[in-house]
């Protein structure tokens, strides 16, 4: 099912560990489409979450290296999105309310500058700040190190304070484009879903049209090795017994071609 989404915004959420990236995403996503994985940062381009608000789909990316998504997911989305990904990128730097810019933040800001990304500074955990002046000191410290923030927004992922203002700011980076993920996308399966779609895409490429249209692909195993290689088992269901042989091909040649391309 698709809603009235006509724009997408790809937001890279960065910050040191435990600054509240997942909590922020949970707060923005709410229950409906939460796809937040508790897996440590093993994958390079993990999606933290997808938020649909009014006419915009926000895709929150966890990109420690701040590079454009280059995974299979990235390639797939590049095909889907006509405009270049660089138009859709904004970095959200999440920090704690401490009036001192640490080394991890400095490194991230340097990368953001190199990539020429618009950047929003998001000061989290403001519910723990005693006085307004303390917050001003944090803002001053960061402004001195990096005068080019598009916006500085104090928030509390825990209480929800400042989140509407943050979404309003993120809306500015949205570009016209198709909805990339269906409504109500469940738990942590964006990669599986995309894998299934890619397999169908290759079947459409290799086979007569009527065959793939009567098929469904289910990903039955999706596990990641320490090396970053992902093992995928997929089951292809087809309508007619006669289609089975065509999909498998002579000595499995067609099936091998489909899986290799995918």
């Amino acid at each position: 099912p698709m809603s009235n989404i006509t724009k997408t915004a790809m937001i890279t959420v960065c910050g040191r560990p435990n600054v509240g990236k997942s909590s922020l995403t949970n707060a923005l996503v709410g229950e409906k489409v939460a796809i937040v994985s508790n897996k440590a940062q093993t994958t390079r381009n993990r999606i933290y979450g997808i938020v649909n608000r009014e006419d915009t789909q926000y895709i929150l990316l966890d990109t420690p290296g701040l590079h454009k998504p280059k995974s299979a997911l990235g390639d797939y989305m590049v095909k889907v999105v006509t405009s270049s990904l660089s138009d859709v990128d904004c970095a959200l730097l999440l920090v704690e309310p401490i009036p001192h810019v640490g080394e991890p933040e400095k490194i991230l800001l340097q990368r953001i500058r190199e990539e020429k990304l618009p950047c929003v500074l998001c000061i989290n955990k403001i519910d723990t700040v005693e006085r307004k002046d303390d917050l001003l000191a944090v803002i001053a410290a960061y402004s001195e190190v990096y005068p080019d923030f598009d916006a500085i927004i104090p928030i509390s992922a825990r209480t929800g304070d400042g989140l509407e203002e943050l979404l309003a700011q993120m809306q500015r980076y949205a570009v016209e484009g198709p909805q990339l993920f269906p409504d109500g996308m469940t738990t942590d399966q964006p990669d599986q879903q995309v894998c299934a779609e890619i397999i169908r895409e290759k079947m459409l490429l290799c086979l007569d049209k009527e065959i793939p249209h009567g098929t469904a692909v289910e990903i039955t195993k999706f596990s990641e090795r320490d090396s970053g290689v992902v093992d995928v088992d997929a089951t292809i269901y087809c309508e007619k017994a006669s289609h089975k042989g065509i999909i498998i091909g002579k000595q499995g040649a067609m099936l091998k071609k489909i899986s290799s391309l995918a």
Side-chain angles (χ1 to χ4, degrees), residues 76 189 191-204 207 211-222 232-239 247 255 258-259 262:
Y76 186 69
Q189 297 204 12
D191 292 341
Q192 270 117 306
Q193 170 135 354
V194 170
C195 283
E197 281 300 303
I198 289 171
I199 292 167
R200 274 199 72 230
E201 183 187 70
K202 301 313 173 193
M203 288 168 66
L204 284 162
L207 301 160
I211 298 172
H213 282 301
T215 60
V217 179
E218 183 191 7
I219 305 296
T220 49
K221 178 188 169 196
F222 189 97
V232 179
D233 288 358
T235 304
I236 298 170
Y237 297 93
C238 52
E239 280 176 323
I247 295 169
L255 200 55
I258 291 164
S259 65

Side-chain angles (χ1 to χ4, degrees), residues 11-29 35-37 39-41 46-51 60-66 91-96 104-105 108 122-125 155-158 163 166:
I11 313 283
T12 292
V13 183
C14 56
R16 64 170 71 198
N18 302 320
V19 72
K21 297 187 289 279
S22 295
S23 313
L24 170 61
T25 304
N26 276 330
L28 288 173
V29 170
I35 52 163
V36 175
S37 155
K39 204 165 57 166
Q41 293 188 343
R46 194 165 51 120
I47 287 188
Y48 266 126
I50 295 164
V51 185
L60 305 175
L61 297 165
D62 160 30
T63 321
L66 279 175
L92 191 66
L93 177 62
L94 199 58
V95 302
E96 299 207 346
E105 286 77 17
L108 284 165
C122 212
I123 304 166
N124 192 17
K125 308 183 185 179
I155 65 151
S156 165
R158 204 176 62 80
L163 295 187
L166 177 59

Side-chain angles (χ1 to χ4, degrees), residues 12-235:
T12 292
V13 183
C14 56
R16 64 170 71 198
N18 302 320
V19 72
K21 297 187 289 279
S22 295
S23 313
L24 170 61
T25 304
N26 276 330
L28 288 173
V29 170
E31 288 307 299
K32 190 177 153 229
V33 285
I35 52 163
V36 175
S37 155
N38 55 4
K39 204 165 57 166
Q41 293 188 343
T42 43
T43 39
R44 270 273 221 267
N45 294 298
R46 194 165 51 120
I47 287 188
Y48 266 126
I50 295 164
V51 185
N52 289 346
R53 283 290 172 94
E54 291 163 11
D55 63 352
T56 306
Q57 182 166 77
Y58 300 92
I59 297 156
L60 305 175
L61 297 165
D62 160 30
T63 321
L66 279 175
H67 43 63
K68 308 285 179 281
K70 286 192 182 74
S71 58
L73 172 68
D75 295 339
Y76 186 69
M77 290 196 301
V78 171
K79 289 193 198 95
V80 180
V81 184
T82 45
S83 63
S84 76
L85 281 178
S86 55
D87 300 337
V88 199
D89 235 346
C90 152
L92 191 66
L93 177 62
L94 199 58
V95 302
E96 299 207 346
I98 298 161
H100 164 75
V101 184
E103 206 49 42
E105 286 77 17
K106 282 182 182 158
I107 292 165
L108 284 165
L109 285 167
Q110 183 53 40
R111 289 289 295 119
I112 288 164
R113 192 173 265 129
E114 283 163 17
E115 291 285 335
K116 300 182 171 60
L117 286 174
C119 182
V120 175
L121 179 66
C122 212
I123 304 166
N124 192 17
K125 308 183 185 179
I126 57 165
D127 49 306
T128 64
V129 175
E130 300 282 310
R131 305 196 324 268
K132 195 74 171 228
D133 289 355
D134 296 343
L135 198 53
L136 294 175
V138 179
I139 293 169
Y142 276 92
S143 301
E144 196 177 326
V145 172
Y146 193 86
D148 305 318
F149 289 113
D150 276 18
I152 297 178
I153 303 174
I155 65 151
S156 165
R158 204 176 62 80
T159 66
D161 206 10
L163 295 187
E164 283 307 318
E165 194 186 339
L166 177 59
L167 274 166
Q169 179 65 32
M170 278 162 41
Q171 167 72 41
R172 297 180 167 186
Y173 308 105
V175 296
E176 297 290 327
Q179 179 169 348
L180 295 178
F181 293 95
D183 294 347
M185 181 133 196
T186 53
T187 61
D188 58 339
Q189 297 204 12
D191 292 341
Q192 270 117 306
Q193 170 135 354
V194 170
C195 283
E197 281 300 303
I198 289 171
I199 292 167
R200 274 199 72 230
E201 183 187 70
K202 301 313 173 193
M203 288 168 66
L204 284 162
L205 187 72
C206 300
L207 301 160
D208 286 338
K209 294 284 178 279
E210 79 270 13
I211 298 172
H213 282 301
T215 60
V217 179
E218 183 191 7
I219 305 296
T220 49
K221 178 188 169 196
F222 189 97
S223 59
E224 188 166 354
R225 302 183 202 170
D226 290 342
S227 64
V229 171
V230 178
D231 293 302
V232 179
D233 288 358
T235 304

